[in-house]
Amino acid sequence: MAASWHIRNWLSHHVRRVTATRAIHAQSVLPGTTSAALQAIRTQPSQYIVASLVGRKFILTPRDLLTVPHIKDVNVGDVLVLKDIHEVGSRDYTLRGDPLIPTGRVKVEATVVEHTKGAMEVVFKKKRRKGYQKTIKNKHPYTRLRIGSIQFSDSP
């Protein structure tokens, strides 16, 4: 018992008490219109978008390198405009579409960097006692895209 009393006594004299104080921050004002929200997002140092591409949603930032399943009829160097943008945001603000943000508000371009293939996939099939063995090898084709800058416009 005496040891616990000494520990409590030592702690009370040597450990600084931290009181719960509420930090005084300027209350951020939420933007009232879509244009004001886009302007607030534009002023932030980094932005992101959530866009649908090849049937999937991706979180993208400028200069990202994105690998997607092969896109037909595009060549290396072609520029694609992302149309299905679901969300635009930054660290402090987010603007979500219902379900999409209108195409005139946000413009993002992606440049085709290369067409490549994935790792070798080997599938081995066998039937017992029949002498049937089959090896199937496959490499899935992919397209790599470089995401460009996010451009905002005030007109819908």
mmCIF file of all heavy atoms in Angstrom, residues 29-56:
data_model
loop_
_atom_site.group_PDB
_atom_site.id
_atom_site.type_symbol
_atom_site.label_atom_id
_atom_site.label_comp_id
_atom_site.label_asym_id
_atom_site.label_seq_id
_atom_site.Cartn_x
_atom_site.Cartn_y
_atom_site.Cartn_z
ATOM 1 N N VAL A 29 -17.189 28.667 -42.576
ATOM 2 C CA VAL A 29 -18.508 28.915 -43.121
ATOM 3 C C VAL A 29 -18.705 27.979 -44.305
ATOM 4 O O VAL A 29 -17.870 27.912 -45.202
ATOM 5 C CB VAL A 29 -18.639 30.391 -43.563
ATOM 6 C CG1 VAL A 29 -19.998 30.641 -44.176
ATOM 7 C CG2 VAL A 29 -18.387 31.302 -42.382
ATOM 8 N N LEU A 30 -19.798 27.241 -44.291
ATOM 9 C CA LEU A 30 -20.086 26.334 -45.390
ATOM 10 C C LEU A 30 -20.576 27.125 -46.596
ATOM 11 O O LEU A 30 -21.395 28.039 -46.457
ATOM 12 C CB LEU A 30 -21.141 25.313 -44.980
ATOM 13 C CG LEU A 30 -20.715 24.335 -43.899
ATOM 14 C CD1 LEU A 30 -21.890 23.448 -43.514
ATOM 15 C CD2 LEU A 30 -19.573 23.477 -44.379
ATOM 16 N N PRO A 31 -20.077 26.793 -47.768
ATOM 17 C CA PRO A 31 -20.532 27.502 -48.962
ATOM 18 C C PRO A 31 -22.007 27.229 -49.236
ATOM 19 O O PRO A 31 -22.492 26.113 -49.046
ATOM 20 C CB PRO A 31 -19.660 26.944 -50.080
ATOM 21 C CG PRO A 31 -18.740 25.955 -49.476
ATOM 22 C CD PRO A 31 -19.063 25.814 -48.040
ATOM 23 N N GLY A 32 -22.705 28.255 -49.696
ATOM 24 C CA GLY A 32 -24.133 28.118 -49.927
ATOM 25 C C GLY A 32 -24.498 27.623 -51.315
ATOM 26 O O GLY A 32 -25.534 26.996 -51.504
ATOM 27 N N THR A 33 -23.651 27.877 -52.287
ATOM 28 C CA THR A 33 -23.951 27.478 -53.651
ATOM 29 C C THR A 33 -22.864 26.554 -54.181
ATOM 30 O O THR A 33 -21.782 26.439 -53.595
ATOM 31 C CB THR A 33 -24.047 28.713 -54.575
ATOM 32 O OG1 THR A 33 -22.768 29.346 -54.620
ATOM 33 C CG2 THR A 33 -25.103 29.685 -54.079
ATOM 34 N N THR A 34 -23.155 25.928 -55.298
ATOM 35 C CA THR A 34 -22.177 25.039 -55.922
ATOM 36 C C THR A 34 -20.955 25.814 -56.385
ATOM 37 O O THR A 34 -19.820 25.361 -56.226
ATOM 38 C CB THR A 34 -22.824 24.317 -57.117
ATOM 39 O OG1 THR A 34 -23.989 23.631 -56.662
ATOM 40 C CG2 THR A 34 -21.877 23.311 -57.719
ATOM 41 N N SER A 35 -21.160 27.002 -56.929
ATOM 42 C CA SER A 35 -20.032 27.824 -57.382
ATOM 43 C C SER A 35 -19.138 28.211 -56.215
ATOM 44 O O SER A 35 -17.910 28.202 -56.331
ATOM 45 C CB SER A 35 -20.539 29.081 -58.079
ATOM 46 O OG SER A 35 -21.255 28.731 -59.236
ATOM 47 N N ALA A 36 -19.748 28.547 -55.075
ATOM 48 C CA ALA A 36 -18.960 28.898 -53.894
ATOM 49 C C ALA A 36 -18.190 27.682 -53.375
ATOM 50 O O ALA A 36 -17.042 27.803 -52.940
ATOM 51 C CB ALA A 36 -19.872 29.451 -52.805
ATOM 52 N N ALA A 37 -18.810 26.508 -53.449
ATOM 53 C CA ALA A 37 -18.130 25.284 -53.008
ATOM 54 C C ALA A 37 -16.953 24.968 -53.915
ATOM 55 O O ALA A 37 -15.859 24.610 -53.443
ATOM 56 C CB ALA A 37 -19.116 24.117 -52.984
ATOM 57 N N LEU A 38 -17.127 25.109 -55.225
ATOM 58 C CA LEU A 38 -16.029 24.873 -56.153
ATOM 59 C C LEU A 38 -14.910 25.890 -55.950
ATOM 60 O O LEU A 38 -13.723 25.538 -56.045
ATOM 61 C CB LEU A 38 -16.533 24.912 -57.593
ATOM 62 C CG LEU A 38 -17.375 23.709 -58.029
ATOM 63 C CD1 LEU A 38 -17.949 23.936 -59.408
ATOM 64 C CD2 LEU A 38 -16.558 22.442 -58.004
ATOM 65 N N GLN A 39 -15.270 27.133 -55.667
ATOM 66 C CA GLN A 39 -14.247 28.144 -55.395
ATOM 67 C C GLN A 39 -13.475 27.795 -54.131
ATOM 68 O O GLN A 39 -12.257 27.940 -54.076
ATOM 69 C CB GLN A 39 -14.895 29.525 -55.262
ATOM 70 C CG GLN A 39 -13.919 30.640 -55.006
ATOM 71 C CD GLN A 39 -12.939 30.830 -56.146
ATOM 72 O OE1 GLN A 39 -13.254 30.580 -57.299
ATOM 73 N NE2 GLN A 39 -11.735 31.264 -55.817
ATOM 74 N N ALA A 40 -14.160 27.298 -53.095
ATOM 75 C CA ALA A 40 -13.483 26.907 -51.857
ATOM 76 C C ALA A 40 -12.554 25.716 -52.100
ATOM 77 O O ALA A 40 -11.440 25.667 -51.572
ATOM 78 C CB ALA A 40 -14.519 26.565 -50.784
ATOM 79 N N ILE A 41 -12.988 24.759 -52.896
ATOM 80 C CA ILE A 41 -12.144 23.603 -53.212
ATOM 81 C C ILE A 41 -10.951 24.049 -54.051
ATOM 82 O O ILE A 41 -9.828 23.567 -53.854
ATOM 83 C CB ILE A 41 -12.970 22.522 -53.938
ATOM 84 C CG1 ILE A 41 -13.996 21.917 -52.984
ATOM 85 C CG2 ILE A 41 -12.073 21.424 -54.496
ATOM 86 C CD1 ILE A 41 -15.010 21.016 -53.648
ATOM 87 N N ARG A 42 -11.161 24.985 -54.962
ATOM 88 C CA ARG A 42 -10.090 25.470 -55.842
ATOM 89 C C ARG A 42 -8.971 26.138 -55.042
ATOM 90 O O ARG A 42 -7.801 26.061 -55.406
ATOM 91 C CB ARG A 42 -10.666 26.456 -56.854
ATOM 92 C CG ARG A 42 -9.665 26.912 -57.885
ATOM 93 C CD ARG A 42 -10.239 27.955 -58.820
ATOM 94 N NE ARG A 42 -11.370 27.454 -59.559
ATOM 95 C CZ ARG A 42 -12.486 28.139 -59.803
ATOM 96 N NH1 ARG A 42 -12.620 29.359 -59.369
ATOM 97 N NH2 ARG A 42 -13.482 27.602 -60.485
ATOM 98 N N THR A 43 -9.318 26.797 -53.928
ATOM 99 C CA THR A 43 -8.306 27.498 -53.130
ATOM 100 C C THR A 43 -7.463 26.560 -52.273
ATOM 101 O O THR A 43 -6.431 26.976 -51.762
ATOM 102 C CB THR A 43 -8.977 28.534 -52.210
ATOM 103 O OG1 THR A 43 -9.884 27.859 -51.328
ATOM 104 C CG2 THR A 43 -9.721 29.582 -53.027
ATOM 105 N N GLN A 44 -7.881 25.328 -52.126
ATOM 106 C CA GLN A 44 -7.126 24.362 -51.313
ATOM 107 C C GLN A 44 -5.867 23.919 -52.051
ATOM 108 O O GLN A 44 -5.831 23.903 -53.281
ATOM 109 C CB GLN A 44 -8.007 23.142 -51.012
ATOM 110 C CG GLN A 44 -9.235 23.453 -50.183
ATOM 111 C CD GLN A 44 -8.876 23.816 -48.770
ATOM 112 O OE1 GLN A 44 -8.104 23.129 -48.130
ATOM 113 N NE2 GLN A 44 -9.424 24.929 -48.285
ATOM 114 N N PRO A 45 -4.828 23.507 -51.315
ATOM 115 C CA PRO A 45 -3.572 23.130 -51.982
ATOM 116 C C PRO A 45 -3.645 21.844 -52.790
ATOM 117 O O PRO A 45 -2.919 21.680 -53.753
ATOM 118 C CB PRO A 45 -2.589 22.985 -50.826
ATOM 119 C CG PRO A 45 -3.422 22.795 -49.621
ATOM 120 C CD PRO A 45 -4.707 23.488 -49.870
ATOM 121 N N SER A 46 -4.495 20.910 -52.420
ATOM 122 C CA SER A 46 -4.589 19.661 -53.187
ATOM 123 C C SER A 46 -6.048 19.255 -53.312
ATOM 124 O O SER A 46 -6.829 19.410 -52.379
ATOM 125 C CB SER A 46 -3.795 18.544 -52.515
ATOM 126 O OG SER A 46 -4.310 18.293 -51.227
ATOM 127 N N GLN A 47 -6.397 18.745 -54.493
ATOM 128 C CA GLN A 47 -7.769 18.300 -54.749
ATOM 129 C C GLN A 47 -7.760 16.853 -55.213
ATOM 130 O O GLN A 47 -6.735 16.338 -55.635
ATOM 131 C CB GLN A 47 -8.425 19.155 -55.842
ATOM 132 C CG GLN A 47 -8.562 20.608 -55.515
ATOM 133 C CD GLN A 47 -7.463 21.439 -56.097
ATOM 134 O OE1 GLN A 47 -6.757 21.015 -56.985
ATOM 135 N NE2 GLN A 47 -7.297 22.646 -55.570
ATOM 136 N N TYR A 48 -8.940 16.237 -55.146
ATOM 137 C CA TYR A 48 -9.122 14.886 -55.655
ATOM 138 C C TYR A 48 -10.483 14.794 -56.310
ATOM 139 O O TYR A 48 -11.345 15.655 -56.102
ATOM 140 C CB TYR A 48 -8.998 13.849 -54.529
ATOM 141 C CG TYR A 48 -10.167 13.846 -53.576
ATOM 142 C CD1 TYR A 48 -11.256 13.006 -53.793
ATOM 143 C CD2 TYR A 48 -10.207 14.695 -52.480
ATOM 144 C CE1 TYR A 48 -12.335 13.011 -52.942
ATOM 145 C CE2 TYR A 48 -11.274 14.702 -51.621
ATOM 146 C CZ TYR A 48 -12.340 13.860 -51.855
ATOM 147 O OH TYR A 48 -13.417 13.868 -51.013
ATOM 148 N N ILE A 49 -10.657 13.748 -57.108
ATOM 149 C CA ILE A 49 -11.970 13.462 -57.684
ATOM 150 C C ILE A 49 -12.243 11.979 -57.512
ATOM 151 O O ILE A 49 -11.325 11.177 -57.340
ATOM 152 C CB ILE A 49 -12.056 13.826 -59.181
ATOM 153 C CG1 ILE A 49 -11.054 13.011 -60.000
ATOM 154 C CG2 ILE A 49 -11.879 15.296 -59.400
ATOM 155 C CD1 ILE A 49 -11.325 13.040 -61.481
ATOM 156 N N VAL A 50 -13.528 11.627 -57.548
ATOM 157 C CA VAL A 50 -13.951 10.231 -57.635
ATOM 158 C C VAL A 50 -14.644 10.117 -58.985
ATOM 159 O O VAL A 50 -15.653 10.771 -59.224
ATOM 160 C CB VAL A 50 -14.899 9.845 -56.489
ATOM 161 C CG1 VAL A 50 -15.393 8.425 -56.673
ATOM 162 C CG2 VAL A 50 -14.212 10.002 -55.148
ATOM 163 N N ALA A 51 -14.056 9.308 -59.871
ATOM 164 C CA ALA A 51 -14.570 9.208 -61.236
ATOM 165 C C ALA A 51 -14.778 7.750 -61.605
ATOM 166 O O ALA A 51 -14.068 6.868 -61.126
ATOM 167 C CB ALA A 51 -13.600 9.857 -62.214
ATOM 168 N N SER A 52 -15.770 7.509 -62.478
ATOM 169 C CA SER A 52 -15.999 6.171 -63.013
ATOM 170 C C SER A 52 -15.242 6.043 -64.318
ATOM 171 O O SER A 52 -15.334 6.913 -65.189
ATOM 172 C CB SER A 52 -17.483 5.930 -63.275
ATOM 173 O OG SER A 52 -18.173 5.822 -62.067
ATOM 174 N N LEU A 53 -14.507 4.954 -64.428
ATOM 175 C CA LEU A 53 -13.753 4.689 -65.633
ATOM 176 C C LEU A 53 -13.745 3.190 -65.833
ATOM 177 O O LEU A 53 -13.403 2.444 -64.914
ATOM 178 C CB LEU A 53 -12.329 5.229 -65.492
ATOM 179 C CG LEU A 53 -11.486 5.310 -66.744
ATOM 180 C CD1 LEU A 53 -12.129 6.280 -67.729
ATOM 181 C CD2 LEU A 53 -10.099 5.775 -66.415
ATOM 182 N N VAL A 54 -14.144 2.712 -66.993
ATOM 183 C CA VAL A 54 -14.206 1.297 -67.341
ATOM 184 C C VAL A 54 -15.064 0.537 -66.318
ATOM 185 O O VAL A 54 -14.733 -0.570 -65.899
ATOM 186 C CB VAL A 54 -12.792 0.687 -67.441
ATOM 187 C CG1 VAL A 54 -12.828 -0.643 -68.163
ATOM 188 C CG2 VAL A 54 -11.836 1.595 -68.160
ATOM 189 N N GLY A 55 -16.172 1.160 -65.897
ATOM 190 C CA GLY A 55 -17.116 0.482 -65.022
ATOM 191 C C GLY A 55 -16.737 0.430 -63.556
ATOM 192 O O GLY A 55 -17.426 -0.210 -62.761
ATOM 193 N N ARG A 56 -15.667 1.110 -63.148
ATOM 194 C CA ARG A 56 -15.251 1.122 -61.744
ATOM 195 C C ARG A 56 -15.039 2.561 -61.289
ATOM 196 O O ARG A 56 -14.743 3.442 -62.093
ATOM 197 C CB ARG A 56 -13.930 0.375 -61.556
ATOM 198 C CG ARG A 56 -14.013 -1.075 -61.836
ATOM 199 C CD ARG A 56 -12.664 -1.698 -61.563
ATOM 200 N NE ARG A 56 -12.655 -3.086 -61.979
ATOM 201 C CZ ARG A 56 -11.559 -3.796 -62.122
ATOM 202 N NH1 ARG A 56 -10.388 -3.259 -61.884
ATOM 203 N NH2 ARG A 56 -11.631 -5.043 -62.492
#
